[in-house]
Amino acid sequence: MRFLPVTHNALLVELADLDQTLALLASLQRHPPHGVEELVPAARTILVEYRASATRAETLVQDIAARSLTQGAERSDTLIEIPVHYNGEDLAEVAQILGITADEVVQRHTGSEYTVAFTGFAPGFAYLSGGHPSLNVPRRSTPRTRLPAGSVGLAGTFSGVYPQASPGGWQIIGTTPVAMWDITRAQPALLQPGYRVRFVDIATKNIAASAYSESAGGQKEALLANSSDGNRRTSVNDDFDVRHLSSASLAFARRAQKDPKPSGRTQHHLAAGHTALQVRATGLLTVFQDLGRHGQARQGVSASGAMDQAALKAANRLVGNASNAAALETVGGGLQLRSVGDNVVAVTGADAVLTLTTADGQRWSVPRYEPVALADGDMLAVGQPTAGARCYVAVRGGFAEAPVMGSCATDTLAHVGPAPVAVGDWLAVQPAPATSVVAAPELPPADLPTLEQEVVLDVVMGPRTDWFTPEAIARLAAQRWQVTPQSNRVGLRLAGELPLDRAITGELPSEGTALGALQVPPSGQPVLFLADHPLTGGYPVIGCVAPYHLDRAGQIPVGAWLRFNPIQPFAELVPESGASTS
C-alpha cells in the first residue's frame, strides 16, 4: 500500500489492483476505524475521509497498513439483468480495436457476469468489473459533450451505464431503457456495490414490450423474474469533463426561469396558520442548501451543501434555528422575497445591500448578520455583492421543504435535492418552537474575497503532486490564477499565464476526489472542486485547499485573482515499522 496526503481530513490509499482495493474496502466496512466518515473506493485507490477532531492521519495509516488483504469482498445474491439495444456509436470501433466482429463484441458482453465494484462520477453510475477478459479498450481520446441516459459503455476493463445525460468519454456500444437512477425508489441507485450484473441483448432475447413499465423518470424499467436459481433477479468513469463545468448550474437556472412552479410550491400547498416567503425574483440562481448530504457515497452521491457553511450556520443561529436547517443560497444579486404573514429572517454571507420595502411603499436599508422582522407584505431585496459571491437567507422556524435522501441540499451536478427556487414560489415557513430564541447581531466577516485584491488560499500538497514537474509545482504557488466565467457550485475553473506541466503523462485510473481538490486536466489549467464536485475523477490532483479556507473559496467571485500557499511539501505517509501491508 501507498498512503498519500489529500487534506487535513482525508488521505488516499493506493493499492496494486482492484482485487486488493475491494479486499481492503471490505475490511474497512466490517471493522471501521474510529473517526472515519466516508470511504470512496475506485479502481486502485480508496479515499478515506475522517473527522480531524476524532483521529489523526498517522493513526489511520497504522490501522490500515496492518490489515490483511487476503479476505475478499463477499458477492451479493442480487442479480440485476440489464436489457440492451446494441446499437452504440462506438460498437464498430470497439470491434476493430479488438480485432473481432461487432456480433462477437455483443456475445462477449452478454456472455459473462459482472460485479459492481464501486460507484462514482454521477449518482447511480456503477463501475462493473469482471466480464470477458478481452473487453479491454481505452477511453475515447476526445470525450463527447453529451451522452443520453442509458448509454452502455466500455472503458479499460470496466463496463458501465450512464444514469443521466452527461458528457462522457467511454466507448458506447449500446443503450438500455432501464433507469439506473430513480429518486422515487427507496434505493435510488439500481446498482449497489457487490451486486451481480448481466447484460441481455434485446434483439436476440424474447423480451416482450409488456415487460416494461413507465417509470417516474420517463424511462422504461423491466422486471424479469427468475425462479431457476433461487436468486433475486431484477431487470430493470466516466470522468467529469471540466470543459462543461458550467452546464449543470446553467440548466438549473434555466429551469428556475422557465418553469414558474417546478416543485408545487403554491399558495394552495400552504398549511393553515403557516406563514411563507413569496419569491418575486430569483437572481441568477437561488437554491436550498443545508450542511450537506453525507454518507451517500455508496449510491454515487456526494455531500453537496452550502458553499459557505459558516455563513449558513450564522444565518440559522441569528433566527434561532438549528445550525443544519435549510436556508436559501443565492449567487449575485436580484433575489426578492415578499413576506406572507409576519416572519423573522437573517441574511449572511456576501456583502450586499439589503433593502426592505413595506406594503405601502416605504423603503430603507436593513443590516446583514442580524435578525430582521418582516411584516405581512414587506419585500426584502438582495443587491449585487461588493465582496463575496453568495448570500444566505434563513427564516425563523425554518423552511417547510421536504428533504431528499435526508437533506435539503440542491446538488446542481447530480440533480439531487429540491428544485431551484422559481419566481412565484410560495416558500412555506414552519412554526418556530417555543424555545427558539433569536440571537444578538454578529459582526460580518471582514475579509470577504473581492475583485480588487488577490485571494490567498492555503493548500495541502497531494495526492498526485509527483505527477507534475518541479517547475509546475513551483508555478502553482508563484503564479496567480483568475476565476473564469465557467465556474459554479461544481468548481472554480482557473486560468493562469502558464499551464501546469505533468511529469507523468499516462492515464490516471479514476479515483476519489475531495472537497477543495485542485484537479488538473490536460490543458494544465486547474479546477478547484467545490460543493457539487463529482465523487471520482480521472485527472491528477496536485493539491487540496485546506478545510479552513473552503468557505472563503466558496465566496470567490468570477474574475477574481487567486494565489495558492502550500503549507507543507508533498510527502507520502509512511506507517511505522512493524505494520504489515500483506
Side-chain angles (χ1 to χ4, degrees):
M1 300 181 199
R2 292 179 71 207
F3 297 91
L4 305 171
V6 175
T7 185
H8 289 163
N9 56 6
L11 60 88
L12 192 72
V13 186
E14 183 181 83
L15 299 110
D17 51 36
L18 179 61
D19 289 341
Q20 284 195 4
T21 301
L22 296 180
L24 177 59
L25 176 65
S27 173
L28 294 174
Q29 290 174 332
R30 283 192 297 266
H31 304 289
H34 176 67
V36 170
E37 294 195 315
E38 193 73 277
L39 300 170
V40 183
R44 291 182 51 200
T45 59
I46 299 177
L47 178 67
V48 181
E49 298 181 343
Y50 58 90
R51 292 193 312 280
S53 61
T55 189
R56 299 164 58 239
E58 294 79 5
T59 303
L60 290 173
V61 168
Q62 286 301 114
D63 180 314
I64 296 171
R67 301 207 175 209
S68 170
L69 303 181
T70 57
Q71 185 176 353
E74 296 181 3
R75 298 187 73 196
S76 169
D77 335 349
T78 303
L79 173 64
I80 306 292
E81 284 198 343
I82 301 177
V84 178
H85 293 286
Y86 284 96
N87 55 0
E89 298 176 67
D90 302 319
L91 180 58
E93 183 176 341
V94 168
Q96 184 177 18
I97 292 172
L98 299 178
I100 57 179
T101 66
D103 287 343
E104 182 64 22
V105 173
V106 175
Q107 291 173 18
R108 294 183 185 184
H109 196 244
T110 57
S112 302
E113 192 171 283
Y114 287 84
T115 301
V116 179
F118 56 92
T119 57
F121 168 60
F125 188 94
Y127 290 78
L128 307 178
S129 64
H132 196 284
S134 69
L135 296 181
N136 185 348
V137 294
R139 288 179 175 87
R140 290 177 55 83
S141 57
T142 302
R144 290 188 173 91
T145 58
R146 188 182 187 278
L147 290 170
S151 296
V152 178
L154 304 174
T157 59
F158 291 105
S159 188
V161 182
Y162 284 81
Q164 62 188 29
S166 64
W170 287 35
Q171 304 279 5
I172 304 304
I173 61 172
T175 58
T176 179
V178 175
M180 295 293 107
W181 175 264
D182 185 348
I183 200 66
T184 64
R185 292 192 293 239
Q187 186 171 271
L190 178 66
L191 303 181
Q192 300 285 319
Y195 279 15
R196 298 153 52 213
V197 176
R198 185 177 297 154
F199 292 98
V200 178
D201 184 2
I202 291 177
T204 60
K205 300 294 181 180
N206 184 22
I207 302 176
S210 60
Y212 297 94
S213 59
E214 292 294 332
S215 72
Q219 291 178 301
K220 294 181 177 179
E221 186 168 345
L223 301 175
L224 302 181
N226 173 26
S227 57
S228 61
D229 59 4
N231 292 329
R232 276 194 306 130
R233 176 180 295 198
T234 309
S235 270
V236 288
N237 170 55
D238 197 2
D239 301 313
F240 180 68
D241 189 345
V242 296
R243 294 177 303 171
H244 309 289
L245 195 62
S246 62
S247 60
S249 286
L250 286 175
F252 262 64
R254 292 189 188 105
R255 281 178 57 194
Q257 293 165 358
K258 290 183 178 180
D259 186 351
K261 298 283 186 296
S263 58
R265 301 179 184 126
T266 67
Q267 182 179 5
H268 303 294
H269 289 79
L270 195 63
H274 280 219
T275 62
L277 294 176
Q278 186 186 21
V279 180
R280 291 297 185 86
T282 64
L284 177 62
L285 179 68
T286 300
V287 292
F288 281 101
Q289 294 296 340
D290 54 23
L291 295 183
R293 187 175 288 103
H294 299 277
Q296 297 290 345
R298 182 180 179 87
Q299 306 228 48
V301 178
S302 61
S304 186
M307 293 273 275
D308 184 344
Q309 304 237 328
L312 172 81
K313 292 176 184 178
N316 278 316
R317 184 167 57 244
L318 287 163
V319 295
N321 293 344
S323 63
N324 63 343
L328 296 177
E329 177 187 273
T330 186
V331 61
L335 177 65
Q336 295 181 15
L337 302 169
R338 185 180 73 87
S339 183
V340 180
D342 295 340
N343 288 293
V344 178
V345 300
V347 182
T348 60
D351 187 356
V353 173
L354 308 179
T355 304
L356 191 153
T357 305
T358 64
D360 60 4
Q362 298 182 64
R363 179 179 299 178
W364 63 87
S365 295
V366 294
R368 302 154 54 232
Y369 281 84
E370 69 177 68
V372 175
L374 299 180
D376 183 41
D378 284 354
M379 179 88 73
L380 178 69
V382 178
Q384 182 67 32
T386 58
R390 291 172 173 83
C391 289
Y392 294 84
V393 183
V395 62
R396 185 171 186 263
F399 291 99
E401 188 71 19
V404 178
M405 299 180 69
S407 170
C408 288
T410 299
D411 188 327
T412 59
L413 177 65
H415 296 181
V416 176
V421 170
V423 173
D425 278 355
W426 289 61
L427 308 180
V429 177
Q430 302 181 99
T435 55
S436 173
V437 178
V438 298
E442 301 183 11
L443 290 175
D447 60 346
L448 286 167
T450 68
L451 295 175
E452 291 74 31
Q453 293 182 317
E454 291 180 350
V455 183
V456 178
L457 299 175
D458 288 352
V459 173
V460 177
M461 300 305 289
R464 298 297 178 184
T465 309
D466 56 352
W467 277 54
F468 296 87
T469 65
E471 294 77 13
I473 296 170
R475 186 175 298 144
L476 176 70
Q479 180 171 272
R480 66 177 190 163
W481 305 87
Q482 189 172 33
V483 179
T484 73
Q486 292 76 37
S487 300
N488 54 32
R489 285 182 47 85
V490 178
L492 301 182
R493 186 179 174 96
L494 308 177
E497 182 180 357
L498 297 174
L500 301 179
D501 301 318
R502 283 168 54 169
I504 300 175
T505 57
E507 186 173 297
L508 178 71
S510 295
E511 59 188 28
T513 55
L515 179 63
L518 281 165
Q519 190 186 70
V520 185
S523 68
Q525 303 289 350
V527 176
L528 170 51
F529 275 166
L530 295 177
D532 292 353
H533 73 279
L535 277 179
T536 60
Y539 300 132
V541 171
I542 192 172
C544 195
V545 171
Y548 53 80
H549 272 174
L550 289 174
D551 286 347
R552 185 169 175 77
Q555 287 289 3
I556 298 173
V558 169
W561 289 91
L562 311 185
R563 284 193 186 273
F564 295 111
N565 174 43
I567 55 177
Q568 62 191 45
F570 170 74
E572 290 187 31
L573 304 170
V574 181
E576 295 177 7
S577 58
S580 170
T581 57
S582 60

